[in-house]
Amino acid sequence: MSPTNTAVEETEERTVRPFAAFLQEQSGGQLHDELSSRLHELIEAVRETGKAGAIALKIDVKPIAGTDGRTVTVTDTVTAKVPRTERPKSIFFVDDTGNLSRTDPRQPVITGLREVEPTPAPTQLRSAK
C-alpha cells in the first residue's frame, strides 16, 4: 500500500467527535455551563426589550512547544451582546451659572395662583324632551 492510500483509508474510517461533547468537557464543564446561562439571559433580555442580541464563542487551539503537535492547549472566550432596556431621559435647563435645573430659568414665575376644588358631579340626570 502506498502512503497516499493509507491516508485515504484512515480519513474514510475517521469519526468526528460531537462538538457538544467538547463543550461539556472544556474548562471542566464551565464553558458549557456559561453558554447555557448566557443563552438563558440573552433570551430573557430579547423578550423584555424586543431587540436582537448575540452570543459569540471563540476557541483558540495552540500546539504546546516541544511536543509532537498532538498535545495542544484549548482556550475559550465567550462574549455576549445583550440588548439593554433604554434608560429614561430627563429634560433639564442650563441656568446662567452653567448648572442644570428642572425648571426653565427664562420662564417667568406666575404668582397668585391657587388650586381650585373640583365641582361635584350632578346627582340627578335630566332628559331632554
Side-chain angles (χ1 to χ4, degrees):
M1 238 185 224
S2 69
T4 308
N5 288 342
T6 305
V8 169
E9 287 175 10
E10 287 178 10
T11 303
E12 290 174 2
E13 294 175 13
R14 185 182 321 178
T15 58
V16 176
R17 186 167 179 241
F19 188 73
F22 161 76
L23 288 177
Q24 291 177 327
E25 292 180 358
Q26 172 62 10
S27 300
Q30 289 179 347
L31 174 60
H32 183 265
D33 293 344
E34 180 181 0
L35 286 169
S36 297
S37 295
R38 293 237 183 153
L39 179 60
H40 186 76
E41 291 168 3
L42 177 64
I43 292 168
E44 186 176 328
V46 167
R47 290 182 67 195
E48 285 178 8
T49 65
K51 297 177 184 177
I55 295 176
L57 170 62
K58 179 182 174 192
I59 299 173
D60 292 311
V61 180
K62 297 180 184 175
I64 296 177
T67 66
D68 62 357
R70 297 178 67 121
T71 308
V72 296
T73 60
V74 179
T75 307
D76 58 78
T77 308
V78 176
T79 55
K81 181 183 174 193
V82 180
R84 306 256 185 242
T85 56
E86 290 188 25
R87 295 177 61 98
K89 297 176 185 175
S90 299
I91 296 176
F92 286 89
F93 299 93
V94 180
D95 65 15
D96 293 335
T97 59
N99 292 308
L100 295 177
S101 172
R102 297 289 286 166
T103 58
D104 187 349
R106 298 169 297 170
Q107 180 71 36
V109 177
I110 302 173
T111 58
L113 295 179
R114 63 180 175 84
E115 192 171 323
V116 177
E117 295 293 325
T119 57
T123 56
Q124 185 178 6
L125 299 176
R126 296 185 182 183
S127 62
K129 291 185 182 184

